Amino acid sequence: MHELGLATEILDVALAEAARHQAKRITTIYLQVGVIRAVEHEHLSFMFDHLSKGTLAEGVKLSIEQMPVQVECPSCGVIESAAFAWECPKCKGNEIHIMGGDALDIVSIDIEV
Amino acid sequence: MDAKDKVKVDIKRSIQQSADDISKTIRSLFASRGIFALNMISSPGSGKTTLIEALLSRYEGKGNVAVIEGDIETEIDADRIRRHGVNVWQINTRSSCHIQPIQLLNAMEQMDLSDTRLLIVENVGNLVCPAETSLGEDKRIVLLSVTEGDEKPLKYPLIFKTSDILVITKTDLLPYVRFNVESVRQAAKVANPKIEIFELSATTGEGMPAFLDRIESFGAAKRPVS
């Protein structure tokens, strides 16, 4: 449900940047999305296709980079994990601390000027 | 088209920047007025409103508590709280699955919060989206009732990672349901090693004093910034 709000914000940011650079078209939007954010990629792209119709971003490609979480384990150090972890992926210990994985950033856009 | 007509523009900003900016404004409002604010989050039916009513009994007659209720529709919760004679405001979020910072700011502007020391915000019943949005609160409280099942921290890690306090509610029903308190405690601590955990039943009052004392001690520690 909230993908609609996110798609609207992404489009607003991208269109504002494109206007600042007098772009004719936005071809790609690069996003970083943490794996523990509840963002459904297909749903986001679907919303985006609709919202961008008739704008400079019509037909734009969404490039989404999944950002892992860092699992900090007292025995094994810091290990990256592609999903929220409940134990150390290496030693299976549960005295771990989870860091990151909650990014929701627009990194850059490719435009035609 | 010529290759040189293609340009990469670096942006690197959070998509929720505007919401985050409003949250910062709210946080500084809380700081300047010395308001201690709680953001209460849980699934629908975990007992947020009942816990707030129990909290209000501690502050009865002191007149410095305000409550903001968030629901998709209706004034039902605000009406319940109003019976306790406190300052209450209902936000109907309509199409939004959580209270947006701008909705909270608008509500605060319409309320008289001049004497308020404790502001309790009850978010829309939902374990997903409210976890992603700061309302500028001092403490975030997640409630988990024993009837919901003990796997919830595993299924919805973000809300447990971002909360300061976990309240396990409806503990009077423990004899009737399969709910492993220890596994919930352990999973919540993995998500957030600093999380404080309380077990209580707002209906029987069991476990309530420790929770109320803790909230009171947090509130007492906050004074207006002059």
Side-chain angles (χ1 to χ4, degrees):
Chain A
M1 171 168 184
H2 67 175
E3 278 83 355
L4 179 59
L6 296 178
T8 308
E9 283 218 42
I10 295 164
L11 186 61
D12 286 348
V13 172
L15 288 176
E17 282 297 319
R20 230 159 53 84
H21 291 81
Q22 280 117 39
K24 293 196 185 78
R25 204 161 82 85
I26 306 172
T27 54
T28 311
I29 298 176
Y30 297 88
L31 303 170
Q32 287 181 337
V33 179
V35 293
I36 60 175
R37 297 304 291 245
V39 177
E40 175 56 50
H41 296 187
E42 278 185 30
H43 195 184
L44 186 66
S45 298
F46 177 78
M47 294 293 179
F48 215 83
D49 286 346
H50 279 268
L51 290 173
S52 62
K53 280 206 177 105
T55 73
L56 293 182
E58 183 163 346
V60 72
K61 182 173 170 257
L62 279 192
S63 167
I64 303 174
E65 184 185 356
Q66 287 258 38
M67 303 304 283
V69 292
Q70 268 94 42
V71 181
E72 194 182 49
C73 171
S75 326
C76 309
V78 177
I79 301 168
E80 281 194 352
S81 168
F84 198 93
W86 296 101
E87 55 186 25
C88 171
K90 224 162 155 185
C91 72
K92 307 293 175 202
N94 58 22
E95 299 287 306
I96 57 168
H97 179 46
I98 303 293
M99 297 173 300
D102 51 2
L104 198 56
D105 295 337
I106 178 163
V107 181
S108 61
I109 54 174
D110 285 346
I111 55 173
E112 288 175 3
V113 292
Chain B
M1 178 168 281
D2 198 324
K4 71 181 174 209
D5 291 331
K6 295 195 175 176
V7 181
K8 181 178 278 295
V9 179
D10 288 327
I11 300 175
K12 192 64 185 173
R13 68 173 250 175
S14 165
I15 290 161
Q16 291 185 317
Q17 191 70 54
S18 54
D20 292 347
D21 290 346
I22 298 167
S23 302
K24 280 185 198 136
T25 304
I26 296 171
R27 184 181 294 279
S28 56
L29 272 176
F30 288 152
S32 63
R33 296 180 185 179
I35 296 173
F36 176 69
L38 299 174
N39 181 2
M40 317 244 313
I41 299 172
S42 78
S43 312
S46 300
K48 290 184 293 300
T49 315
T50 304
L51 186 59
I52 291 171
E53 289 183 294
L55 249 169
L56 291 176
S57 65
R58 170 71 65 109
Y59 290 86
E60 211 133 308
K62 295 184 189 169
N64 50 11
V65 184
V67 178
I68 295 179
E69 288 287 337
D71 282 295
I72 307 269
E73 295 286 355
T74 82
E75 287 255 344
I76 293 170
D77 280 357
D79 287 343
R80 265 174 76 178
I81 299 300
R82 204 166 280 126
R83 286 187 214 123
H84 296 265
V86 299
N87 187 6
V88 59
W89 190 271
Q90 178 82 50
I91 297 172
N92 282 141
T93 58
R94 311 286 183 197
S95 62
S96 176
C97 45
H98 58 283
I99 296 176
Q100 305 275 9
I102 189 69
Q103 293 173 320
L104 180 62
L105 190 59
N106 287 341
M108 287 171 61
E109 280 170 359
Q110 294 175 77
M111 296 172 80
D112 177 9
L113 297 174
S114 47
D115 295 330
T116 301
R117 300 276 296 117
L118 172 65
L119 176 67
I120 306 169
V121 180
E122 178 179 344
N123 221 312
V124 178
N126 178 346
L127 281 179
V128 184
C129 312
E132 306 201 319
T133 306
S134 167
L135 295 176
E137 69 265 18
D138 293 285
K139 296 288 173 194
R140 177 175 292 193
I141 302 180
V142 59
L143 283 71
L144 176 61
S145 62
V146 301
T147 55
E148 287 169 72
D150 51 20
E151 78 295 355
K152 289 296 172 292
L154 304 173
K155 287 183 172 175
Y156 305 92
L158 189 62
I159 184 59
F160 294 89
K161 185 174 189 281
T162 61
S163 291
D164 304 290
I165 299 168
L166 162 62
V167 182
I168 299 173
T169 61
K170 307 189 190 180
T171 53
D172 53 310
L173 299 179
L174 272 173
Y176 312 105
V177 292
R178 250 202 313 203
F179 185 94
N180 186 331
V181 174
E182 272 322 300
S183 70
V184 168
R185 281 181 166 273
Q186 197 205 329
K189 288 278 184 192
V190 170
N192 175 8
K194 290 189 189 138
I195 200 164
E196 293 185 36
I197 304 174
F198 295 87
E199 298 168 33
L200 56 84
S201 164
T203 305
T204 66
E206 191 190 358
M208 282 299 299
F211 173 70
L212 295 175
D213 289 348
R214 191 70 181 114
I215 297 301
E216 210 168 356
S217 74
F218 280 136
K222 188 158 180 176
R223 290 273 170 260
V225 180
S226 48

